[in-house]
Amino acid sequence: VTGRRGIAGTALVHKVAGAAAEAGLSLKEVAAEAQKAIDSIASLGVSASVCHVPGRTEDDQRLPDGELEMGLGIHGEPGVEKIKITDADSLVDKMITTILDPSEGRGFMSLKEKDRVAMLLNNLGSATPIEVSIFTRAALKRLRDMGVSVERIVSGPIVTSMDMAGLSLSLLKLEDDTGDRMLERLDADTVAPGWPRGGGGTS
């Protein structure tokens, strides 16, 4: 797309690292677990608007009515493509295809049947709860149709961008024993106010 940039997947990295530190690991060990999470994550956002930053004049013509921008950053950095608004299933299919597509330097993640992932559906700011739920259902269905096991689901306003009217999808690939350890980190108790109580749901 435009290369790797820090969007919602970073919250999963922070959760893994924080839980590892809380478990008493050394700084070197915490850094290693965080790096493994970074190497295992792919994210992509889509929005019908950019965020409105106080004191900054926004370009209201950047996204006309009926269009979405895919791949934009949480500060409004330009994305890779503008597309027509479509149904949730078609949109999620395009997003997952883009994440997995190896062309043009993409291929941020490879997935095959029986692979395992944790999934984060992030509200970028002003999406409604029902829109997040519909998007979550569509992503879960698409991954199941691929034969991928969704081990955990986290959804909600985790990494927001002011009033941006959009959502992002992050996939954390869980491989071997390191994948089981990352699940333990995601499930670990936390008092962080932005993290859903009880960790993530299961599929």
Side-chain angles (χ1 to χ4, degrees):
V1 185
T2 57
R4 294 188 180 275
R5 55 171 42 138
I7 54 175
T10 189
L12 300 177
V13 178
H14 295 165
K15 183 62 171 68
V16 168
E22 186 69 20
L25 273 65
S26 69
L27 179 59
K28 182 177 180 179
E29 291 169 326
V30 170
E33 289 204 16
Q35 188 60 56
K36 177 60 179 177
I38 291 169
D39 295 341
S40 303
I41 287 177
S43 297
L44 187 65
V46 64
S47 183
S49 72
V50 296
C51 60
H52 292 83
V53 179
R56 188 173 76 185
T57 301
E58 303 295 342
D59 180 7
D60 292 331
Q61 301 304 311
R62 175 172 162 182
L63 277 172
D65 290 344
E67 287 192 3
L68 300 169
E69 188 166 345
M70 189 168 67
L72 72 176
I74 60 173
H75 302 105
E77 299 93 337
V80 63
E81 182 180 4
K82 292 179 181 178
I83 59 176
K84 295 295 184 182
I85 291 178
T86 184
D87 61 274
D89 289 333
S90 298
L91 181 57
V92 165
D93 183 71
K94 183 172 181 61
M95 292 176 72
I96 291 178
T97 297
T98 301
I99 288 172
L100 302 179
D101 183 4
S103 65
E104 299 180 15
R106 299 174 186 174
F108 297 120
M109 176 180 289
S110 62
L111 287 176
K112 62 182 184 303
E113 190 174 357
K114 297 185 179 179
D115 277 345
R116 301 185 301 149
V117 298
M119 180 173 71
L120 167 60
L121 275 299
N122 178 59
N123 181 348
L124 284 166
S126 62
T128 65
I130 193 168
E131 287 171 330
V132 175
S133 296
I134 291 170
F135 196 75
T136 302
R137 177 208 59 80
L140 181 59
K141 179 180 182 298
R142 177 71 172 88
L143 290 166
R144 283 177 168 172
D145 288 347
M146 293 169 59
V148 174
S149 176
V150 181
E151 301 288 314
R152 298 292 187 277
I153 302 169
V154 180
S155 67
I158 309 298
V159 179
T160 58
S161 180
M162 307 291 283
D163 60 343
M164 186 178 286
L167 299 146
S168 64
L169 169 66
S170 299
L171 300 175
L172 173 61
K173 191 172 181 178
L174 305 167
E175 298 181 286
D176 305 322
D177 293 342
T178 58
D180 293 334
R181 189 176 305 115
M182 282 193 281
L183 282 181
E184 292 177 8
R185 305 305 188 207
L186 294 179
D187 291 342
D189 289 337
T190 177
V191 296
W195 190 258
R197 297 280 70 79
T202 62
S203 63

